[in-house]
Amino acid sequence: MASTADTNTAPATPAAAAPAPRPKGWKLLKLALRKRKSACMLGFGFSSGLPYALLIGTLNAWLGEVGVNLATIGVLSWIGLSYSFKFLWSPLVDRFHLPLLDRIGRRKSWILLCQVVMIAGFAGLAATNPATDIGTFAIFAFISALASATQDVAVDAWRIDVADEDTPVELLSAIYQFGYRIASIVGGALALVLAARMSWPLVYLLMAGLIGVVIVVTLRAPDTDRPERETLHLALAQPGALAPRYRALALGVVGLSWLWAIATIVRFMASMLHEPVPGVPPPSVADFTKLYGPWVIFATVAVPLIVAAMTNWLRHRPGSTLNEPDTHASPLRTAANHLYVALVAPLAELASRLGWGVLIVLGMILTYTLCYNIWGSFAFPFYLEELKYTKDEVAFASKVFGIFMTILGISLGGYLFARLGRMPTILIGAILPILGNFVYADLAEGGANIDAIGRGLGLHALLGLFGFDDRMLRLLMAISFENISTGIAGAAFVAYMSGIVSRQYTAVQYALLSSLTFLIGSLGRGIAGEAFDQYGYATVFRWTAAAGLVAVVMVLLEWMRVSREARITAATRD
């Protein structure tokens, strides 16, 4: 597509009026990969997807194989909270100069540091026996997850920084997803295949070696210079902005709430992973979730929302805003401004724009992915330990066949979005995963209903031609329905959140809202692990399906809110 400048200066001839179209599809990808930044984006996508696949999914297969109980696996899965809370330290990644490493590039220095830490973390996992030293193993897993989440922050910033006319951010994002999906296959399917033929420690050492290969890409990648002066938060120094003392108070309240929530979770994780003391009952995930779970949600969601509403109220009170430009500058003020924009300003803008409707929006975001996020980390122990499928079978069904089903679901989500509209597609995306949980409950109980549907559709005979028996067909059908459902839900939800964010805070607001989608699910994984041990998989699958009904109710409320706003807007125009 020609730029605006090209269009304005080109002579008015038929040739100029009809410029050569930009290549599409594989031709565009092939053309883009000839450029260094596009090829580097593919490597960065791989480097982001590989640790996530290894730490959030594959690691649990290792733990289940060596006999670690599901309750402990559930607690250890809380390392995924690193990805939920990564926006908290994103200002540090954005502005802090790393000693010695900073010379290689503004973003590359952080990417390189994170890759080195991940290699060391995987080596630590390989050197630790989780069956006998789960505490040390958890520390290495947490360090690796923290480095992986931080790398994601730097990679996202790099992608936006280096985008240009020839390699726009949309293309770089698509290439990133391509690399991420390749890494999902390598960290999932290939890792399981290798684990069937060699030890788990050796598998993780090989995966660390792959990250080491990507370091070559990191060193060759282009980068952007740091701005010569602070320009990101000039609006906070202009007349009409909230006075620094009130911003500091708001930031202090929100920061303390977040710190309390994180410290509470980390403290419980540490107590859960300690060696049991004779005569002292072990800590209970269910008790922790019951006693502290609501307070964690209150501290990380309700408190920031209340503070955001208060800042909006203060901005309309005399004496609470700046009357003249604030010329004071210091490293402390700069850091505080970054944190304020990351923690307070996005919700303040959202609350100001949506009013009371922000409660419905946040409720929907918190619950939309709940019914499949809670048990997702237990998929491998379920397939391998409960159902006794082999690693090769699970690798093919979950990480090869399943990824294609996810891509199909994402495509269907885009089609439904175009044909039916935003809210109907979002509602379908909320309902289908609930049905998927019932499919998995049937699979846990032998798959009688799955077999009946498979025979009715002729799938047993069809897949039998490819050598799949009834047992494998059950797994493929369950994974197909689940991945297509979550693919539709994911496509609809990403489109919804992209539309709800403000252009003024696009990156920060989207990062914050997308982080909230993992919050309740991550906390719920702890109690899910204990519940699987006590009640069995089928019962818990039905419970989580019931939890998905909350998301359906929130979607209906949001649909009503959006429809009401549309009617008001139409009446105003008339």
Side-chain angles (χ1 to χ4, degrees), residues 206-295:
L206 289 174
M207 296 298 154
L210 292 179
I211 297 177
V213 173
V214 180
I215 285 181
V216 178
V217 177
T218 303
L219 295 174
R220 293 286 299 162
D223 209 335
T224 56
D225 296 328
R226 292 182 182 273
E228 294 184 0
R229 56 182 299 185
E230 178 64 44
T231 58
L232 186 59
H233 305 298
L234 286 179
L236 297 178
Q238 300 305 312
L242 195 64
R245 63 181 180 275
Y246 292 111
R247 293 204 307 267
L249 179 61
L251 181 60
V253 173
V254 174
L256 287 174
S257 295
W258 277 95
L259 287 174
W260 175 85
I262 295 172
T264 300
I265 293 171
V266 170
R267 186 169 60 250
F268 178 75
M269 287 180 65
S271 69
M272 188 74 182
L273 297 172
H274 276 321
E275 291 293 330
V277 178
V280 178
S284 167
V285 179
D287 290 343
F288 174 83
T289 306
K290 184 191 306 180
L291 296 174
Y292 291 99
W295 291 108

Side-chain angles (χ1 to χ4, degrees), residues 14 36 39 55 89 151 164 206 320 363 374 397 410 475 511 526 550 568:
R36 184 156 58 107
L55 294 169
W89 56 87
Q151 179 191 232
D164 55 24
L206 289 174
S320 300
I374 285 181
I410 293 172
L475 182 63
V550 179
I568 293 174

